[in-house]
Amino acid sequence: MSHASRSFYKVMRTLDDIRLEIERATERRAELLHVLAEGHDVVVAAEHAGVEEDIARLWDEYRAAKVHGRFGDRDVIIKRARLEERLERAA
């Protein structure tokens, strides 16, 4: 396994870990929305915006991890496709 692959696996979290973090962030978002429903609070609104960004980032990470688990490393797939394209042009 190359150094880049080892580094990627250290960073890559499991789907269950990501899903758990999404659930926690979603619960926190609900709490913040409840507070905001009682009246506008600039600090709570800013935290809510941050939580929304976190949830979006987590879903992106979840989708990327799911694709990686199913199809493998993106860079390897791209290299393979480029090689096949070169072979087709040479034929």
Side-chain angles (χ1 to χ4, degrees):
M1 185 179 296
S2 72
H3 174 68
S5 296
R6 283 191 304 272
S7 296
F8 181 78
Y9 284 109
K10 288 179 187 175
V11 174
M12 183 68 114
R13 296 186 293 166
T14 67
L15 292 175
D16 289 339
D17 291 341
I18 300 167
R19 195 176 3 232
L20 183 60
E21 193 170 340
I22 290 170
E23 288 175 14
R24 287 186 197 133
T26 302
E27 289 171 7
R28 181 64 184 149
R29 176 178 59 185
E31 293 167 1
L32 294 169
L33 286 173
H34 181 71
V35 171
L36 287 171
E38 295 173 4
H40 187 71
D41 181 320
V42 177
V43 175
V44 175
E47 184 180 352
H48 175 263
V51 170
E52 287 288 350
E53 290 174 8
D54 291 344
I55 291 170
R57 178 188 51 78
L58 288 164
W59 276 114
D60 288 344
E61 183 181 354
Y62 181 84
R63 285 188 291 272
K66 193 169 185 178
V67 167
H68 183 273
R70 185 168 185 191
F71 299 107
D73 186 41
R74 178 181 183 272
D75 292 335
V76 172
I77 293 168
I78 290 171
K79 285 178 187 178
R80 190 176 331 129
R82 287 182 180 154
L83 176 63
E84 288 177 9
E85 185 177 282
R86 280 184 290 221
L87 292 173
E88 286 178 9
R89 282 191 303 231

